[in-house]
Amino acid sequence: MDRRDIEIFLTLADELHFGRTAQRLLVSQARVSQTIAKLERQLGVLLFVRTSRRVQLTATGAVLADEVRAGWDRIEQAVSAARAAGQSVATTLTVSLEAPALADLAADVFGRFTSHQPSTRIVFREAGFADPLDLLRRREVDVAVTNAPIEEPDIEPGPVIHTEDVVLAVARTHPLAAQHIVTLEDMVGHVVLRAGRRAAPYWDGSGQTPSTWQELLAAVAAGEGISPVAKHAAEYFARPTVTMVPFTPGSPSIRWAICWRRGERTAGIDALVRAVG
């Protein structure tokens, strides 16, 4: 018996009326009659006694109804339990951060996401310093947060989740350390070390890319170069040998944006995009 045959058989066993059974299941009365006749042919026994005045289960029909109903109830309970479990299973959205401090700086965005998606947990990963998109390309994370613009053929850019000013990291003994503010022109003639995938105009290609953030700060402290970095570095990574000098007001800012593999935007990513607001 297929699912519909079982439903028709058990409903008729309850109603003992072909018309009411048809109405209850939203099928024709002929469909009910045809189904019962088919079952009786397949089993080789009568399941119902029909007269002009009433319908009754035969003894065999009553035993079959009890057995089928018990199994059917177990199947229905299992299906309901599976659906409930599927709705409550916690899922995970894995996000790599080029700057780990973004977990704090963009906490309002991630907070809105979790409030709207209570069954989804965000797991943060620290991205590689030299190539912050590597984890994304290797499918180890669902989303990456990196500085915009994001112009990669295999990566789809999303909205900006945090914007902040830029400061210039210089050695405490560097001539620029004595200035209250610096300009882009002040960087001319100095070796500029690149922090991650820092976008123009702050990096002119004159310096190398250190392997880690600590290597960058060590190189700056040693006077090997200067480096434009996000303003939060002055608070999160302060050290006595390095000075963070602000750029002039109106200088280009750093825009941290989410991105994902092109063509692979999931429901979780959609929810995160909506949380940006």
Side-chain angles (χ1 to χ4, degrees), residues 9 43-48 57-67:
F9 171 67
L43 298 174
V45 294
L46 283 175
L47 300 175
F48 296 90
L57 279 164
T58 65
T60 301
V63 171
L64 181 63
D66 289 342
E67 295 292 332

Side-chain angles (χ1 to χ4, degrees), residues 108-110 112-113 116 159-161 258 270-277:
D108 56 337
V109 172
F110 298 122
R112 283 194 295 271
F113 173 86
H116 295 144
V160 172
I161 65 170
I258 61 174
D270 278 340
L272 182 57
V273 170
R274 290 194 299 271
V276 176

Side-chain angles (χ1 to χ4, degrees), residues 99-239:
L102 286 166
D104 298 330
L105 300 174
D108 56 337
V109 172
F110 298 122
R112 283 194 295 271
F113 173 86
T114 54
S115 67
H116 295 144
Q117 304 286 127
S119 64
T120 301
R121 183 170 66 100
I122 292 183
V123 174
F124 294 115
R125 294 274 306 273
E126 183 174 357
F129 185 72
D131 184 3
L133 299 178
D134 181 56
L135 290 179
L136 185 63
R137 289 192 168 104
R138 283 161 43 194
R139 298 180 177 277
E140 295 186 27
V141 299
D142 305 304
V143 176
V145 181
T146 187
N147 65 302
I150 303 167
E151 298 171 341
E152 307 284 340
D154 58 332
I155 303 297
E156 187 170 346
V160 172
I161 65 170
H162 181 69
T163 301
E164 60 182 312
D165 292 335
V166 178
V167 296
L168 186 65
V170 300
R172 180 77 67 176
T173 57
H174 194 281
L176 294 177
Q179 297 188 194
H180 295 296
I181 57 173
V182 291
T183 66
L184 295 179
E185 290 73 21
D186 289 327
M187 296 168 57
V188 176
H190 297 282
V191 174
V192 181
L193 303 174
R194 185 161 73 108
R197 54 178 299 276
R198 186 68 52 229
Y202 289 107
W203 187 66
D204 61 6
S206 62
Q208 300 299 313
T209 303
S211 300
T212 67
W213 172 255
Q214 294 305 325
E215 285 183 14
L216 173 68
L217 290 183
V220 169
E224 296 174 11
I226 60 178
S227 181
V229 298
K231 182 181 179 180
H232 74 262
E235 178 180 355
Y236 280 77
F237 305 103
R239 57 166 60 187

Side-chain angles (χ1 to χ4, degrees), residues 15-18 20 49-56:
E15 296 289 348
L16 296 177
H17 191 283
F18 281 82
R20 288 196 298 271
V49 175
R50 305 114 161 133
T51 69
S52 58
R53 301 184 62 181
R54 64 179 182 172
V55 176
Q56 282 185 299

